[in-house]
Amino acid sequence: MTTKETVLDILESITGSDEVKEVLDMDLYDEGILDSLGTVQLLVELENQLDVTVPVSEFDRSDWGTPQQIIDQVVSLQG
Amino acid sequence: MKKKITMALGPLVLAVLLLLALFFSPIDWLKAPSQKELKKSAPSMSINVIKGNTYKNSAAASSDYLPFLGSSELSRINAFHPTVMARKYHRGYEPFLLGAPGTQSLSHFFMLHSMKDELKGKQIVFIISPQWFVKNGVSDQMFSVYYSPLQTYQWLLSLEGKEIGEDEQFVAERLLSFSSITSDTRLSQMLGKIEEQQKLSKLELKNCRRQYNLLAHEDLIFSRIAIQHKESRIKKAINELPEDYSLGKLETLAYKIGEQKTTNNDFGIANNFYSQRIAPLKDKLENSQTSYDYLESPEFSDFQLVLNELAENNVDALFVIPPVNQRWSDYTGLSREMLDDFSEKITKQLHSQGFNQVADYTHLRGEDYFMEDTIHIGWRGWLLLDQDLQTFLKDKKEPKDKIKIDNHYFLSEEWQKERQF
Amino acid sequence: MSQWLSAFPFLTPYEKPFYFVILGILLLPSIFASLKGKRLGGYQAFLTLFFLWMSFGGPHRQQGFALIAYVVWQLLIAASYVRYRQTANRGSWFYLSIFLSLLPMILIKVLPLYTETQPLLYFLGYSYLTFKSVQVIMEIRDGLIKELRLRDYIQFLIFFPTISSGPIDRFRRFTAELHQPPSSEKYVELLGKGIHYIIIGCLYKFIIGYVLGSQLLPIIQDKAVNQGFLFLGSLGYMYTYSFYLFFDFAGYSLFAVGVSYLLGHETPINFNKPFISANIKEFWNRWHMSLSFWFRDYVYMRLMFTLIKKKVFKSRIVASNVGYFALFLIMGVWHGLTWYYIVYGLFHASLICLTDAWIRFKKKHKEKIPSNMATKGLSIFLTFHAVCFSLLIFSGYFDTLLKLFFTYNI
């Protein structure tokens, strides 16, 4: 499974919405799909499944706001 | 780019001009209150009347009003309340009630000072509550409720050209212990100077005057709103009184009304006060006041400021010391001995300086229906005060010769804490 | 000299309109430089010292000494921790550093309970500086701050426009700007916005806030407490206090942000029409934002991360609710060690947990719950009243009421 697929699976399981897989430039916070709790779950899962550590204070909503941004961030942290 | 900056600065200039126009224009359309408004404000005890000058100073200037300075007891309107008695029996004066729950000597000092010109040579009644004289005096919370910036700046302005005396130093020192004062940097800076016996500079006085004018404008506007009507309560109480004044009849009536209104408890406390304020906490209150002490307090010196103000303006005052309901104080464990000592201490402060008009009711604590509840004068208490008041008003003293103010002693910490007197 | 000194107009930040007169004059050189896209570092340092002296000198000099001592203390902690962190990363040292960083604030809050006087450590704004200091320790721990230039850190801590009550800025954001001043185009925009903010701030704080707080509130309290209109008076007090608090604090925040803009710093905004929020979570995204975001990022999310990763609670809902209660309890205690601040915190925690439950319920029963203008209006109405009631608790009104009823007059 690619990083992209994993990230999207994680997002889908946290938010309970399959839209995240379809609209990659949707703002998850503005749409109320992701909140603080969801963010924490996302960070925990990224660490567990992809071994990518993102400090909570690093997480800036304007850089991690859409599914595509999250994928890009994770890829760059892996590289 | 220039245009952008002008666009940004334009509103600023406009806003400043508008502000200046709003605050410093002469407000001519606001005149002094009418006779009718004044009479309505007299028993209101509204906070804007107490903190402001508009109403109370107009009243003090007129000979129709008799200022009553005190606190919560003034709000106990029943048939024998001074306002009701004065109106029913056409006494020729209307009590102007200056006080509210939580006002203490420091507020009274500022009230008196702010109307000293109007009050010169006149008479007042001053009701002293023993409950003010707690360890730290007036609390920060209560002081801030009744703190009047208007009267404070007026006091500062009155120091112009004067040598700063011990009393003024004391006022400054006391004020600087309250957060509503220290949060105002410029005011605390000026008070700091007075505390160190320095005069205010010309610039500072100019600032004070500007501030005072602004606050006086505001007082004119805001003291008008929401003045409480107590008329219906007063009218109802007036109707309970017999048409013609007869002491014997009134004494019987006071006893009878007191008896009727205190049926749900053994303390002689008015029914509604008992059910609302005492019953919910009754068991907790038993023996809750055994350690209360009214003998050591900065309030003694705050009260000295009041005396000093009265002496300076040749005001003749009747001092009233109300008792504490004995059946109640025995229940809460409040020491009778301590209350007797308090009466002695405050009486010494009064007598030794020549204030001899003291109605001390401390020892009447056991009289039935003298109190309306725990610490507030009631039916028979107000009636006795009415008699003492008539005597006081009849032979107006010329106190000037007898008064000997001793600020050095009575403003000292030594006196505040003195237990041998 | 001493005569001139005694006439010096000492003022806390934005206390009187006169503060802006001095500000306007002294800021000019810095504004002209910024219009050319430059930052006058030395001159801005002078401005900082001057305005800090104005607020922490004269009658407040005791606080001035306390501020200096505080800054030295935080520098020592941060410098030691950043050096330690370059070689190791033990949790115990992190927690010790956090504790030491919090220590001045803890002492300032706890000591008065025993001594009844203000401790010597006290200075205006100490709790806001504490947020900044703790934030830096946490980001050092996370490896986001690898080196700490002490000059930057000092400037971040004592940045005078926000020193007394925030908004709480972020260290990395602030220092980036310090070294990369806004372009001249960008600055013109900031200048315009800054002046606009200051004017709106004057309207909010000096006019609306003043009339509500200094003139109307005492009269309404008097009605409620002394004149027998307990219910109506208290209701009036609730609305008036809520609007007073908003206009006073939002006005102050506009000053702080506006002056920051004039200095070429984009300090984050603090209020965004909070009373139109449709639920409590939205309210906290609009009210005292820099504070709630700080708590979200440095308390709630960190705590949740640990709780979820270590699977302390089986249910994530339980974990989340525990997190909210921890957050708001700490926020309450931070406001002060009195019962009503703590009740205020617990009240908000309960509201948020209920809101979350409602949102979950709504997700499950999407079809059955109508969503239209009317329901939106109703939720704004309910949220507004829940918020106003919480602010009434916060105001200490009930404390005054209880004292007047059951202590003063018995």
Side-chain angles (χ1 to χ4, degrees):
Chain A
M1 225 167 35
T2 63
T3 301
K4 182 178 172 179
E5 284 163 353
T6 317
V7 169
L8 290 178
D9 281 347
I10 294 173
L11 275 176
E12 186 183 17
S13 73
I14 292 171
T15 61
S17 130
D18 45 16
E19 262 183 292
V20 293
K21 286 188 167 174
E22 286 147 24
V23 195
L24 289 185
D25 59 353
M26 170 173 59
D27 194 306
L28 300 167
Y29 292 99
D30 284 355
E31 298 292 325
I33 292 171
L34 212 53
D35 59 7
S36 309
L37 180 64
T39 309
V40 173
Q41 287 176 282
L42 172 68
L43 297 183
V44 173
E45 290 310 316
L46 288 178
E47 197 169 314
N48 287 347
Q49 296 186 26
L50 291 166
D51 207 22
V52 173
T53 309
V54 187
V56 176
S57 47
E58 167 77 49
F59 192 91
D60 184 337
R61 288 184 183 198
S62 59
D63 297 331
W64 293 74
T66 67
Q68 189 58 51
Q69 278 179 320
I70 295 172
I71 293 162
D72 295 344
Q73 290 283 358
V74 172
V75 170
S76 82
L77 282 169
Q78 277 177 328
Chain B
M1 195 153 96
K2 252 186 191 157
K3 199 182 158 201
K4 270 189 184 170
I5 296 170
T6 340
M7 286 284 283
L9 281 172
L12 175 70
V13 176
L14 201 70
V16 169
L17 287 177
L18 269 173
L19 272 180
L20 290 176
L22 191 72
F23 283 146
F24 296 104
S25 71
I27 303 185
D28 290 332
W29 62 86
L30 287 170
K31 298 260 161 52
S34 68
Q35 284 305 316
K36 213 176 136 194
E37 282 180 296
L38 212 53
K39 189 155 182 203
K40 214 168 71 187
S41 74
S44 74
M45 300 169 67
S46 285
I47 194 167
N48 29 352
V49 171
I50 293 170
K51 287 165 67 171
N53 284 348
T54 310
Y55 283 87
K56 73 178 204 325
N57 292 18
S58 306
S62 126
S63 55
D64 303 336
Y65 293 91
L66 178 65
F68 271 63
L69 284 84
S71 46
S72 45
E73 70 284 326
L74 295 175
S75 65
R76 297 304 189 272
I77 289 182
N78 57 45
F80 307 91
H81 184 277
T83 301
V84 179
M85 292 291 280
R87 289 198 191 170
K88 178 80 183 185
Y89 299 117
H90 310 291
R91 288 278 163 68
Y93 60 82
E94 164 88 20
F96 201 97
L97 309 183
L98 290 170
T103 51
Q104 295 187 202
S105 310
L106 216 46
S107 306
H108 293 125
F109 161 73
F110 279 104
M111 277 191 250
L112 286 171
H113 187 273
S114 68
M115 52 184 190
K116 66 187 167 87
D117 295 332
E118 291 85 353
L119 217 52
K120 270 207 172 72
K122 292 186 176 152
Q123 292 186 300
I124 67 158
V125 178
F126 194 104
I127 305 173
I128 304 165
S129 294
Q131 293 77 20
W132 298 343
F133 293 77
V134 288
K135 190 172 158 232
N136 295 315
V138 58
S139 69
D140 193 66
Q141 205 172 8
M142 276 300 126
F143 177 81
S144 75
V145 172
Y146 295 105
Y147 160 60
S148 164
L150 174 73
Q151 293 165 9
T152 308
Y153 278 100
Q154 195 180 356
W155 174 76
L156 282 171
L157 282 172
S158 75
L159 301 180
E160 184 170 6
K162 261 174 60 175
E163 288 302 323
I164 308 292
E166 263 174 298
D167 50 333
E168 280 116 6
Q169 277 178 291
F170 180 80
V171 175
E173 188 196 320
R174 279 294 280 159
L175 286 179
L176 283 169
S177 68
F178 298 107
S179 58
S180 40
I181 301 283
T182 48
S183 60
D184 186 332
T185 311
R186 226 187 286 176
L187 183 59
S188 16
Q189 204 181 344
M190 290 189 286
L191 290 170
K193 279 176 85 171
I194 290 162
E195 195 185 2
E196 284 163 24
Q197 240 181 335
Q198 296 170 30
K199 286 185 190 175
L200 297 184
S201 70
K202 280 221 172 80
L203 185 70
E204 283 166 327
L205 285 164
K206 214 172 118 185
N207 276 328
C208 283
R209 190 157 302 115
R210 205 182 45 219
Q211 198 68 33
Y212 171 78
N213 288 336
L214 183 63
L215 291 163
H217 269 76
E218 290 173 11
D219 180 36
L220 271 175
I221 301 168
F222 289 104
S223 64
R224 271 157 210 271
I225 58 172
I227 285 184
Q228 168 67 10
H229 295 252
K230 288 204 169 133
E231 294 306 318
S232 60
R233 270 165 76 191
I234 294 168
K235 277 204 184 103
K236 217 178 119 199
I238 287 178
N239 289 334
E240 291 177 45
L241 291 173
E243 277 315 306
D244 300 312
Y245 181 87
S246 143
L247 186 56
K249 266 193 201 166
L250 286 171
E251 273 173 343
T252 320
L253 185 65
Y255 200 97
K256 207 180 94 196
I257 297 181
E259 204 173 17
Q260 283 167 0
K261 296 258 165 102
T262 57
T263 50
N264 70 359
N265 63 88
D266 299 328
F267 299 109
I269 291 175
N271 289 343
N272 54 354
F273 187 91
Y274 185 81
S275 55
Q276 284 171 20
R277 311 267 295 264
I278 305 287
L281 291 171
K282 188 178 168 234
D283 294 338
K284 281 204 179 122
L285 289 165
E286 186 169 8
N287 290 324
S288 66
Q289 303 183 345
T290 45
S291 61
Y292 278 27
D293 180 67
Y294 302 147
L295 295 175
E296 292 184 29
S297 172
E299 189 75 19
F300 286 101
S301 296
D302 293 349
F303 180 64
Q304 177 65 19
L305 295 172
V306 169
L307 297 183
N308 190 45
E309 202 56 38
L310 296 175
E312 271 186 18
N313 298 296
N314 198 17
V315 176
D316 189 20
L318 171 66
F319 295 94
V320 183
I321 309 173
V324 175
N325 180 334
Q326 179 178 314
R327 278 185 262 169
W328 176 248
S329 65
D330 285 352
Y331 179 75
T332 61
L334 184 69
S335 162
R336 274 192 233 168
E337 202 181 323
M338 184 276 293
L339 288 168
D340 289 346
D341 286 347
F342 169 77
S343 142
E344 220 173 295
K345 182 169 176 177
I346 202 78
T347 310
K348 183 187 172 187
Q349 188 169 354
L350 289 163
H351 283 179
S352 71
Q353 300 183 89
F355 296 95
N356 293 323
Q357 311 264 19
V358 184
D360 184 357
Y361 299 154
T362 307
H363 296 282
L364 299 173
R365 57 169 73 97
E367 290 288 317
D368 285 337
Y369 317 121
F370 193 86
M371 306 298 282
E372 188 173 302
D373 44 63
T374 53
I375 58 170
H376 303 105
I377 300 182
W379 308 275
R380 296 183 59 213
W382 281 133
L383 186 58
L384 180 61
L385 174 59
D386 183 65
Q387 291 158 256
D388 288 337
L389 179 59
Q390 302 320 310
T391 322
F392 165 73
L393 293 172
K394 235 176 264 162
D395 46 20
K396 186 170 178 301
K397 297 280 186 314
E398 280 306 323
K400 212 166 193 174
D401 337 310
K402 293 181 299 157
I403 302 282
K404 276 209 164 58
I405 287 290
D406 184 357
N407 280 337
H408 186 67
Y409 181 50
F410 290 112
L411 291 178
S412 70
E413 208 169 310
E414 192 194 339
W415 171 249
Q416 292 171 19
K417 297 198 169 150
E418 186 60 80
R419 299 187 81 96
Q420 312 293 327
F421 28 81
Chain C
M1 178 71 183
S2 76
Q3 267 239 301
W4 184 81
L5 269 182
S6 82
F8 186 81
F10 292 102
L11 287 173
T12 55
Y14 321 120
E15 190 181 338
K16 299 263 160 78
F18 186 65
Y19 188 88
F20 293 95
V21 176
I22 301 180
L23 201 63
I25 298 166
L26 290 184
L27 239 51
L28 283 177
S30 163
I31 290 173
F32 286 128
S34 293
L35 282 172
K36 289 182 189 142
K38 285 183 202 148
R39 187 185 288 290
L40 295 182
Y43 187 71
Q44 288 201 347
F46 157 76
L47 285 177
T48 297
L49 290 179
F50 180 86
F51 283 102
L52 288 184
W53 182 56
M54 195 163 154
S55 302
F56 295 99
H60 300 313
R61 61 186 159 279
Q62 181 56 51
Q63 293 187 30
F65 295 132
L67 172 64
I68 294 169
Y70 178 90
V71 171
V72 171
W73 173 255
Q74 296 296 347
L75 283 178
L76 286 174
I77 298 167
S80 316
Y81 186 62
V82 82
R83 275 190 70 176
Y84 163 79
R85 183 65 181 79
Q86 279 157 0
T87 53
N89 187 16
R90 294 251 308 264
S92 50
W93 285 104
F94 168 66
Y95 289 113
L96 179 67
S97 304
I98 292 283
F99 171 73
L100 291 177
S101 183
L102 287 170
L103 190 60
M105 178 164 97
I106 294 171
L107 290 174
I108 293 169
K109 287 200 187 292
V110 172
L111 285 179
L113 300 180
Y114 301 100
T115 60
E116 290 177 8
T117 52
Q118 214 169 49
L120 290 178
L121 295 169
Y122 171 84
F123 60 91
L124 181 68
Y126 72 91
S127 52
Y128 288 90
L129 258 64
T130 305
F131 284 119
K132 291 183 172 181
S133 323
V134 169
Q135 176 207 135
V136 165
I137 304 281
M138 288 196 178
E139 299 208 338
I140 294 173
R141 158 82 162 184
D142 288 349
L144 296 166
I145 300 173
K146 293 199 167 62
E147 278 170 86
L148 192 67
R149 287 184 52 186
L150 291 187
R151 254 183 59 191
D152 291 357
Y153 187 39
I154 295 174
Q155 290 193 63
F156 171 64
L157 277 183
I158 63 171
F159 184 59
F160 78 91
T162 62
I163 194 154
S164 62
S165 310
I168 306 153
D169 206 349
R170 301 291 167 100
F171 179 71
R172 281 175 294 149
R173 201 206 63 74
F174 181 86
T175 40
E177 247 168 22
L178 205 58
H179 300 297
Q180 179 76 54
S183 69
S184 102
E185 275 304 300
K186 173 86 186 159
Y187 184 74
V188 174
E189 192 190 310
L190 286 183
L191 180 64
K193 267 195 197 166
I195 291 170
H196 180 69
Y197 281 175
I198 292 171
I199 292 168
I200 303 289
C202 278
L203 177 71
Y204 276 19
K205 190 175 165 70
F206 293 139
I207 300 177
I208 304 178
Y210 176 77
V211 169
L212 292 177
S214 298
Q215 299 292 352
L216 296 182
L217 264 191
I219 296 174
I220 295 170
Q221 177 171 348
D222 187 45
K223 294 279 125 194
V225 176
N226 297 332
Q227 313 263 14
F229 294 95
L230 189 60
F231 181 74
L232 277 180
S234 301
L235 198 67
Y237 190 91
M238 178 178 92
Y239 292 124
T240 315
Y241 180 80
S242 300
F243 281 106
Y244 153 71
L245 191 66
F246 168 73
F247 282 108
D248 184 73
F249 198 15
Y252 159 83
S253 299
L254 284 169
F255 290 154
V257 173
V259 174
S260 302
Y261 280 12
L262 300 189
L263 288 167
H265 281 281
E266 268 190 276
T267 294
I269 59 160
N270 234 358
F271 291 89
N272 177 21
K273 306 187 195 86
F275 293 140
I276 63 159
S277 309
N279 66 48
I280 293 291
K281 287 178 113 172
E282 190 186 341
F283 172 76
W284 281 107
N285 285 331
R286 291 171 172 277
W287 173 273
H288 204 175
M289 293 150 73
S290 69
L291 178 80
S292 54
F293 294 166
W294 191 95
F295 271 106
R296 179 191 73 197
D297 295 351
Y298 296 102
V299 178
Y300 176 80
M301 286 182 57
R302 292 180 87 90
L303 182 66
M304 293 313 295
F305 193 80
T306 313
L307 291 181
I308 289 178
K309 203 174 152 196
K310 300 206 168 145
K311 301 204 170 77
V312 180
F313 296 102
K314 266 190 194 152
S315 152
R316 286 185 177 173
I317 296 166
V318 174
S320 163
N321 291 350
V322 168
Y324 281 129
F325 270 93
L327 184 167
F328 281 101
L329 200 61
I330 296 172
M331 195 194 276
V333 170
W334 168 75
H335 277 297
L337 293 171
T338 35
W339 70 266
Y340 46 88
Y341 291 139
I342 293 165
V343 171
Y344 163 80
L346 296 176
F347 181 72
H348 268 285
S350 316
L351 286 179
I352 286 218
C353 293
L354 283 175
T355 306
D356 262 354
W358 167 246
I359 290 173
R360 282 193 302 272
F361 178 83
K362 223 165 68 171
K363 260 189 188 160
K364 268 189 207 154
H365 304 85
K366 249 182 191 159
E367 326 71 44
K368 286 177 199 158
I369 297 166
S371 176
N372 51 41
M373 287 286 278
T375 57
K376 172 109 178 167
L378 179 69
S379 37
I380 291 176
F381 179 83
L382 290 176
T383 307
F384 174 68
H385 281 81
V387 165
C388 286
F389 186 72
S390 79
L391 295 177
L392 184 65
I393 301 174
F394 179 83
S395 73
Y397 178 78
F398 290 114
D399 193 58
T400 313
L401 215 58
L402 287 174
K403 279 192 184 142
L404 273 174
F405 265 56
F406 297 116
T407 342
Y408 278 124
N409 278 313
I410 284 177

